[in-house]
Amino acid sequence: MTSLLTFPKGGVHPPAAKGLTSHLAIETMPVPDELEIILGQHIGAPCTPTVNAKDEVKEGDVIGEVTKGLGVPLHAPIAGTIKGMGQSAHPMRVTAPSIILQTNKEISAPRYTPKDWHSQTKDELLKRIHGAGIIGIGGAGFPAHVKLNPPKDNPVDTLILNGAECEPYITADHRQMLEQSHEIVEGAKIILKTLGITNCHIGIEDNKPDAIAAMTAAAGSTPDARITVTPLQVKYPQGSEKQLIQSITGRKVPAGALPSAVGVVVHNVSTTKAIYDAVALGKPLYEKVLTISGQAINRPANLRVKVGTKVKDIVEYLGGVKPSLAKIVMGGPMMGFAVSTLDLPVTKTTSSVLFLTEEEIDTRPHSQCIRCGWCLEACPMGIEAKEIAIHVEAGRPQDTAQFGVFDCFECGCCSYVCPAKRPLVQFIRLAKMKAKR
């Protein structure tokens, strides 16, 4: 029997907890009366508003542009009236500038119908992807058109679609692979044409056999591309970009380098669906499929919502929360952020919101490092998290580069295995911030 592919070092096996929503089809949430659309939704410069208070906008209109530096435009998720500019709650920055849109549900949404894209040139495809505001919606928010135009001195020969979805609880990508597999495969073909290559792997963890089957059937066989579905071992963080590349190709991305350095471009399956929408339908990115889960939400769901929808509107739609609610996490339980307000708006990179009970979280206080070394063993990058934390506590964050602090992508494996329950990821974030000053 052939063993499933995985990355060679570290990783953990947290409880999957995906059963709450993995069987739930994507449903579209009714549009709330008001949206808060954050201007900075991607890596790079935040958008500058191109609208003013009291302006009327239609669904898909550009409402923000990036005129300098890295970025993509922002679009109105629905028709309505610009109420004004504001400051919205943000899970990492406390607050962020935003556009407040009073929605008008009386105006019909535009109809998008598939058009043939095969005759378009690479430059035309990139222009459409940029113009539709496509970013990596699986996590980091890197503008897709930049990733699809790698440096000429790094020739790319392989596209990898990330369908691993290794974070516990989250099933939004899983459902999209089941329900929109053909659109994802068509999106892969668009990306392959843009890159000028023919080889594509779709990496999916083996705990999603129905998604593996659906994507395999959709991929079929095409004369102009080789699209292969690659089942992967269930091990967190299998969906991390560098770990995914090493699992499937055996290539190791050097520290500080991009995947194109080893001839690979990686896109999330949801981003690939958005690229299909942008190119084949002409539809900008202003909706998001996300998982709402945890034992403390009355009705778990996989929801398609407008970007800018506030969490409190989602909670109301799903029947509220239970008295047992102990913690709210925006994102997955391994890499997400605990939040204290329901006023947070959904952005293009929001993957889930979790409503967790005491039984689903660990509230024990942390203690001193016992130097067991489990964090080093669990880290897929071989980073010495315990040493970084000890140096931060000693007021020496500037000395942590020697332990690999800048190679850390904050997957949380170290904190998960630490028997002293030390907040190692938080120490590492602090070390990065202070070491850069």
Side-chain angles (χ1 to χ4, degrees), residues 8-9 22 28 33 45 50 59 90 133 149 199 225 234 237 282 306 325 379 382 384 400 409:
K9 175 169 176 48
S22 60
T28 300
D33 293 335
T50 57
E59 182 170 326
H90 193 281
N149 195 22
N199 186 34
V234 178
K306 300 290 187 183
L325 175 65
C379 178
E384 296 187 62
T400 56
F409 59 93

Side-chain angles (χ1 to χ4, degrees), residues 1-5 163-166 174 203-213 230-235 238:
M1 180 177 175
T2 305
S3 60
L4 293 166
L5 298 174
E165 195 157 59
C166 57
H174 181 181
I204 305 172
E205 280 193 332
D206 195 42
N207 59 357
K208 306 173 192 65
D210 49 357
I212 292 172
T230 305
L232 302 168
Q233 195 178 121
V234 178
K235 185 170 72 168
Q238 189 67 260

Side-chain angles (χ1 to χ4, degrees), residues 80-136:
T81 305
I82 302 298
K83 193 172 178 182
M85 308 302 145
Q87 289 284 330
S88 295
H90 193 281
M92 290 178 281
R93 303 173 214 156
V94 184
T95 62
S98 61
I99 296 173
I100 315 299
L101 175 64
Q102 193 74 41
T103 63
N104 183 345
K105 298 164 216 172
E106 300 301 318
I107 299 177
S108 301
R111 290 187 177 181
Y112 297 104
T113 53
K115 296 180 177 59
D116 182 49
W117 53 268
H118 294 84
S119 61
Q120 294 182 37
T121 65
K122 171 183 174 177
D123 287 343
E124 289 170 334
L125 293 172
L126 288 174
K127 188 175 179 181
R128 297 195 76 159
I129 291 167
H130 170 256
I134 309 299
I135 60 171

Side-chain angles (χ1 to χ4, degrees), residues 199-329:
N199 186 34
C200 171
H201 290 274
I202 305 173
I204 305 172
E205 280 193 332
D206 195 42
N207 59 357
K208 306 173 192 65
D210 49 357
I212 292 172
M215 293 303 298
T216 301
S221 61
T222 56
D224 52 350
R226 188 178 63 185
I227 301 176
T228 307
V229 177
T230 305
L232 302 168
Q233 195 178 121
V234 178
K235 185 170 72 168
Y236 180 84
Q238 189 67 260
S240 163
E241 199 168 62
K242 290 184 177 179
Q243 279 59 47
L244 190 63
I245 292 170
Q246 195 166 9
S247 296
I248 292 176
T249 69
R251 305 174 192 174
K252 187 173 181 179
V253 181
L258 296 172
S260 60
V262 295
V264 179
V265 164
V266 180
H267 271 293
N268 175 272
V269 289
S270 298
T271 308
T272 307
K273 164 66 168 52
I275 288 173
Y276 165 81
D277 289 345
V279 172
L281 304 181
K283 181 180 179 182
L285 175 58
Y286 53 71
E287 294 178 336
K288 187 74 205 288
V289 176
L290 65 160
T291 298
I292 310 298
S293 190
Q295 298 287 353
I297 185 78
N298 266 324
R299 184 165 74 85
N302 285 304
L303 286 185
R304 180 182 293 103
V305 305
K306 300 290 187 183
V307 168
T309 301
K310 282 179 276 193
V311 173
K312 68 178 182 184
D313 291 320
I314 294 174
V315 169
E316 184 178 346
Y317 174 66
L318 295 176
V321 295
K322 298 176 182 175
S324 56
L325 175 65
K327 189 175 186 179
I328 304 170
V329 175

